[in-house]
Amino acid sequence: MRFSKVAVAWGMKEESYNHPPFLPSIGCYIPTQRDELEKLVSAIHSQHGSEASFYWCFPFWVLAAQLQSLGASLGGISEFTSRSIAPDLIILVDLPVKKSDFHELISNHKHVPIILLVAETPLERHAQHCIANLKQFAHVLTYNRLLTCPSYISHYRLPFRFHRPSNLSLLRTKPPSKRSYFCAYVGNAHSSGWRRNFQYHLGWSGWPVIWQYLQGWKIPFSAIFRDEYYGAYTVRQSLVLASFASYGLSFFLCGRNWSNGGSGWLSRLLPDRRLKIRSSPLGMLPGSKVTSLCDSTFTIACENYLGNSGYISEKIFDSMSAGSIPIYIGAPGSLPNELKDCVINLSDFPKQKLTSVAFLSSIFKELLSMPASELIRRQKMCLNYIDSFHEMSYGVDVFVSSILRVLDNT
């Protein structure tokens, strides 16, 4: 193999992600059996990290195991630096907040090819969906199928998912009608990671929408309108309000800022008085999310961004793996055809409808009369897809294959 020392660098995640034990240590032995590997990584992130750190790092442990079998090793960029080891390839996951940080990475690793892995949505990093910012990369892997040229851009499917605990096979088979909650939603009222960790801390240069431009990146003027229109936070709020109105105490809500009017820029001055809903805490240990969904008949799976049909995140598959029937909201046309008979798909409704609490409530109330036999049929279809088809279409192995093809051609 041409590349024997592969470094992973994170553009937007915590610095700790660049070190072991979040990523494997360079040259360490990595189990190749998948269940054993997932158990190991889950234990590491239970002790040192969280559900979120497992979500982001686990695919790179799988990649590291595959590289190990090819005589190569993978580790975090900070470990390479601290051990004075020069990588011969860098995988950068998302562009850094500031362009100056990207230039620093290049200057510290001259002549080392860098592959950009696009993981976040345009809401978080619109700059990496603009070709003008991608010319310095040896290759770009993106889920954005609207970017079809130049030749150094190829497409992949997002591999990130939350941990599936060892007792999931038992928990997920609980009949839909026997579950404690009729519907569940796990997510925040407004604020996503980039808003909490970066935008608010940048002062005037973190002004909404154009903050990426102010940090040195090129973005088209039209991005301002696309981000505001396709961002799904107003849709999420309407979904939660409609669910609460339709199901009452049979609705399980977990996430931040549902009880204080939201956390967006305008919400700080003009809080949404409807958002006075009590939410439950979710444990941070790996497996907490999927375990909680095993006790709900339906789960709302709403993407962060509704403007790109190539963006299909873990949300729908986490729900299906828990035996909870997804109520899916993504970009129009994003739901795979093979899932249309088991998923409640709202993606093709216009945004005007998806932000109407009255319209959504009418749909949700209809679900209350769905026969038990139909609930069981949909649940079985969800579990069958996860067990038989998910890995070959959207799983971590597909991601590893995509990376290896790029390495062979770089």
Side-chain angles (χ1 to χ4, degrees):
M1 185 174 183
R2 178 184 171 190
F3 302 107
S4 61
K5 299 185 289 294
V6 179
V8 176
W10 301 88
M12 300 186 65
K13 298 298 176 283
E14 291 86 344
E15 171 60 25
S16 58
Y17 284 25
N18 289 316
H19 300 267
F22 289 86
L23 291 175
S25 183
I26 301 168
C28 74
Y29 172 74
I30 302 169
T32 56
Q33 207 281 330
R34 183 62 54 81
D35 291 342
E36 182 183 358
L37 177 59
E38 181 159 354
K39 184 177 181 180
L40 170 66
V41 179
S42 172
I44 290 172
H45 285 262
S46 294
Q47 181 177 357
H48 301 282
S50 66
E51 178 97 288
S53 65
F54 174 94
Y55 171 92
W56 288 108
C57 295
F58 179 65
F60 294 99
W61 282 82
V62 179
L63 176 60
Q66 184 64 39
L67 290 175
Q68 173 184 263
S69 68
L70 299 173
S73 60
L74 177 146
I77 189 70
S78 296
E79 186 187 11
F80 277 91
T81 301
S82 64
R83 294 176 58 178
S84 300
I85 301 174
D88 45 29
L89 179 80
I90 296 173
I91 299 175
L92 175 62
V93 186
D94 295 317
L95 290 180
V97 176
K98 299 179 181 180
K99 193 171 184 179
S100 58
D101 294 336
F102 177 56
H103 287 157
E104 181 180 354
L105 178 68
I106 293 175
S107 64
N108 289 340
H109 302 279
K110 292 183 174 67
H111 310 301
V112 177
I114 302 177
I115 294 172
L116 176 66
L117 188 72
V118 175
E120 295 285 11
T121 70
L123 279 175
E124 285 83 5
R125 298 305 288 120
H126 201 107
Q128 63 191 14
H129 297 268
C130 178
I131 290 178
N133 298 312
L134 308 179
K135 296 178 180 179
Q136 291 178 281
F137 292 99
H139 201 89
V140 176
L141 269 169
T142 177
Y143 60 81
N144 186 351
R145 299 187 181 278
L146 299 177
L147 292 178
T148 56
C149 61
S151 59
Y152 59 83
I153 295 177
S154 60
H155 303 119
Y156 84 116
R157 288 173 170 170
L158 294 169
F160 307 102
R161 65 167 173 82
F162 290 101
H163 175 54
R164 295 169 185 170
S166 57
N167 62 342
L168 179 61
S169 59
L170 176 63
L171 296 174
R172 68 180 194 165
T173 57
K174 188 176 184 180
S177 59
K178 300 293 185 180
R179 299 190 171 202
S180 302
Y181 299 97
F182 190 76
C183 187
Y185 177 72
V186 177
N188 299 325
H190 187 283
S191 176
S192 64
W194 69 273
R195 297 176 192 262
R196 289 196 307 273
N197 298 333
F198 302 120
Q199 195 181 37
Y200 292 152
H201 297 167
L202 292 172
W204 68 270
S205 63
W207 198 67
V209 182
I210 65 169
W211 72 282
Q212 296 180 63
Y213 174 80
L214 295 174
Q215 299 309 315
W217 298 106
K218 295 180 181 179
I219 56 172
F221 187 72
S222 60
I224 295 174
F225 303 99
R226 288 202 300 271
D227 284 5
E228 289 301 293
Y229 182 77
Y230 291 116
Y233 288 102
T234 55
V235 174
R236 287 183 177 186
Q237 291 174 8
S238 297
L239 288 163
V240 166
L241 290 169
S243 299
F244 186 71
S246 302
Y247 307 132
L249 295 177
S250 293
F251 175 57
F252 174 77
L253 176 64
C254 178
R256 300 177 181 177
N257 302 117
W258 291 108
S259 61
N260 61 4
S263 61
W265 284 78
L266 292 178
S267 298
R268 292 181 168 192
L269 300 175
L270 302 170
D272 189 337
R273 297 187 182 277
R274 298 175 302 170
L275 296 183
K276 297 293 182 181
I277 305 173
R278 183 178 179 181
S279 61
S280 302
L282 182 68
M284 291 303 291
L285 293 178
S288 299
K289 177 186 177 182
V290 175
T291 299
S292 68
L293 299 183
C294 288
D295 205 22
S296 180
T297 304
F298 290 93
T299 293
I300 295 172
C302 182
E303 304 290 11
N304 298 350
Y305 187 74
L306 308 180
N308 193 301
S309 60
Y311 181 72
I312 303 175
S313 72
E314 83 292 340
K315 297 176 179 63
I316 185 172
F317 302 120
D318 284 345
S319 172
M320 294 173 70
S321 68
S324 183
I325 303 164
I327 302 172
Y328 184 66
I329 305 92
S334 59
L335 185 72
N337 289 330
E338 58 267 29
L339 298 182
K340 290 185 177 179
D341 287 338
C342 60
V343 172
I344 307 299
N345 183 27
L346 306 183
S347 303
D348 295 327
F349 287 108
K351 191 172 183 180
Q352 181 182 5
K353 294 284 190 180
L354 294 175
T355 54
S356 168
V357 174
F359 173 76
L360 293 171
S361 295
S362 66
I363 293 178
F364 291 164
K365 287 175 182 177
E366 288 180 5
L367 296 179
L368 288 168
S369 59
M370 183 175 287
S373 59
E374 176 64 10
L375 293 174
I376 292 174
R377 183 190 72 83
R378 288 177 181 264
Q379 182 191 55
K380 287 181 177 179
M381 288 187 68
C382 288
L383 295 177
N384 180 62
Y385 179 85
I386 290 296
D387 292 343
S388 303
F389 303 104
H390 172 257
E391 188 59 42
M392 67 180 68
S393 299
Y394 291 90
V396 181
D397 288 338
V398 180
F399 161 73
V400 171
S401 297
S402 298
I403 292 287
L404 293 179
R405 280 197 300 271
V406 171
L407 296 187
D408 288 340
N409 296 311
T410 298

